[in-house]
Amino acid sequence: MAEVVVIGAGLSGTLMAYELLPQLRADDRLTVISQGATYHFVPSNPWVAIGWRKQSEIEIDLVAIMKRKKIRLLTQGAGRVHAAENRVELSDGTSVPYDYLVVATGPELAFDEIPGLGPQGHTQSICHVDHASRAKEAFETLAANPGPVVIGAVQGASCFGPAYEFLFILETELRRRKLRDRVPMTFVTSEPYVGHLGLDGVGDTKGLLESEMREKHIKWITNARVNGVEPGKMAVEELADDSTVRKTHELPFAYSMMLPAFRGVGAVRGIEKLTNPRGFVIVDKHQRNPTYPNVFAVGVCVAIAPVGATPVPVGVPKTGFMIESMVTATAMNIGALLRGKAPSAQPTWNAICLADFGDSGVAFLAQPQIPPRNVNWSSKGEWVHYAKVAFEKYFLRKIRRGESEPFYERFLLDKLNIAKVIQLKTGT
Ligand SMILES: Cc1cc2nc3c(=O)[nH]c(=O)nc-3n(C[C@H](O)[C@H](O)[C@H](O)COP(=O)(O)OP(=O)(O)OC[C@H]3O[C@@H](n4cnc5c(N)ncnc54)[C@H](O)[C@@H]3O)c2cc1C
């Protein structure tokens, strides 16, 4: 019998548990360690923040689902991984031993790296659904007293798509309420150019997003380093290509939402050779840590090198489909190890992304995620908004039913020639 443990029950952790089940042998036991019993669908947070969704509409109670699937759910959260001892210490001091561990803890939000940033300071956040609900209250205050809006992503951020998405849906909502004429908007980003997305662009994301901003009278500052935020005021330095300061800006705002930099969570940060200096889990091509080969990692908590040097540091995004490819490969590899075989599945890390603008949107497909690519495509249109709504419904249904990849999803991906894993042939 083997003890298989997953830490985290977000997008990657829940799917990880569902995909591991068919890989286990009859006596193996699967445990998920979560923080609380509620799953929430992070990609819908921007809609919560402007009132297009209620928090309760994107939350799912995992207790009954996990019980039905015979997965042990421990909701007190992991305090610390003791990798050398093959055990996870929970936040209540008890321990869970493991034969195989999958870290799926997502990011810790590094608001504290910039004075005044984040919900404890003076800017809003959409990274957690509780933040998004607070951001909705702040949005209503803005609607009652219109003024300048600053939206963007700070130095070291890796998640740019949601910043653009939020910018455009907020703009759409302001137009619908006939308030847009009283709200000057500025997009502030650490990216070297609009549409870089931490990926050096995908297809013509630069042209598509710049043109959308021009059409909607949104100003932008790229290569931006945020030095601090005070009530209603953001201090920003704009860097030149040689990283010298080209211009300083003091941006007044009545409402601001800035994506923070991410780092690894406290339960794994600072464990030598398990995590890198930012606390992200180091993995090989099989999603496995080279030093602790019974530890795997999936999702945003995985360490990925940036695509290249930029004047202001930017990270690589870890998007949903890419994460699903990590999950599938990890499940197959743990399944192989349980049967005495070597791991042979490699995730493709292909990125498919839909960024909704409310009445239109931008979609992109990057195969592989890091350039140069075999497929490098982006497109704009009203269909993206409807595709994103359909995706949300479909994904929440998957989580409720406890299915990771129903047959019709597999069929569609096969037809589109989009693979999640590369399966290598091994003799062992
Ligand atoms: C606002 C936003 C919008 C996004 N939109 C999209 C999108 O439209 N499309 C797309 O492809 N990608 C999108 N992404 C990127 C990515 O798909 C999501 O961030 C996704 O939720 C990442 O999954 P994850 O499992 O790595 O992290 P999460 O979903 O954040 O899950 C991590 C889980 O681990 C738990 N956890 C943390 N520490 C512990 C601990 N010590 N013990 C136990 N549990 C712990 C957390 O509570 C959380 O439930 C978006 C990201 C953000 C921030």
Side-chain angles (χ1 to χ4, degrees), residues 8 10-12 33 35 42-43 78 104-106 126 159 162 299-300 318-320 388:
L11 191 139
S12 62
I33 301 169
Q35 260 168 344
V42 173
T105 47
I126 51 169
C159 195
V300 175
K318 293 142 201 171
T319 49
K388 181 117 192 190

Side-chain angles (χ1 to χ4, degrees), residues 200-416:
D200 203 3
V202 184
D204 189 27
T205 44
K206 180 176 193 291
L208 290 175
L209 291 167
E210 275 189 3
S211 136
E212 194 73 15
M213 287 203 207
R214 268 191 292 272
E215 273 175 30
K216 294 187 165 155
H217 294 279
I218 299 168
K219 296 197 172 104
W220 67 80
I221 301 170
T222 53
N223 281 326
R225 183 164 65 198
V226 177
N227 283 341
V229 191
E230 291 173 26
K233 201 164 61 178
M234 188 180 298
V236 174
E237 285 178 339
E238 188 180 339
L239 301 197
D241 287 346
D242 62 358
S243 294
T244 55
V245 177
R246 199 166 78 86
K247 209 169 169 186
T248 57
H249 303 262
E250 200 175 79
L251 301 173
F253 64 83
Y255 178 100
S256 174
M257 194 298 295
M258 298 294 289
L259 264 293
F262 292 165
R263 62 184 173 226
V265 302
V268 291
R269 204 166 60 236
I271 301 177
E272 208 182 333
K273 297 195 173 159
L274 180 67
T275 49
N276 74 5
R278 287 274 315 161
F280 292 109
V281 183
I282 301 162
V283 296
D284 64 11
K285 60 186 180 195
H286 301 299
Q287 296 297 135
R288 187 153 86 138
N289 181 260
T291 308
Y292 299 102
N294 60 341
V295 181
F296 290 73
V298 293
V300 175
C301 65
V302 168
I304 301 182
V307 288
T310 45
V312 182
V314 298
V316 174
K318 293 142 201 171
T319 49
F321 189 75
M322 178 196 189
I323 293 172
E324 290 192 44
S325 85
M326 297 180 187
V327 166
T328 301
T330 300
M332 292 167 80
N333 288 335
I334 292 179
L337 286 163
L338 288 170
R339 286 160 186 81
K341 295 182 184 160
S344 59
Q346 291 180 24
T348 54
W349 287 12
N350 289 332
I352 307 174
C353 212
L354 304 171
D356 174 40
F357 297 169
D359 47 8
S360 119
V362 162
F364 65 75
L365 173 58
Q367 287 186 308
Q369 196 192 42
I370 311 297
R373 305 186 177 108
N374 295 319
V375 180
N376 189 37
W377 170 86
S378 58
S379 182
K380 194 179 115 179
E382 200 182 343
W383 67 270
V384 179
H385 171 69
Y386 296 107
K388 181 117 192 190
V389 175
F391 174 67
E392 178 203 49
K393 306 278 172 252
Y394 174 62
F395 201 91
L396 286 171
R397 189 166 179 272
K398 283 208 301 191
I399 298 291
R400 281 194 193 99
R401 290 173 66 96
E403 288 173 342
S404 178
E405 191 186 71
F407 74 92
Y408 43 90
E409 180 178 324
R410 204 167 310 138
F411 175 78
L412 190 69
L413 291 173
D414 282 349
K415 285 276 167 230
L416 294 171

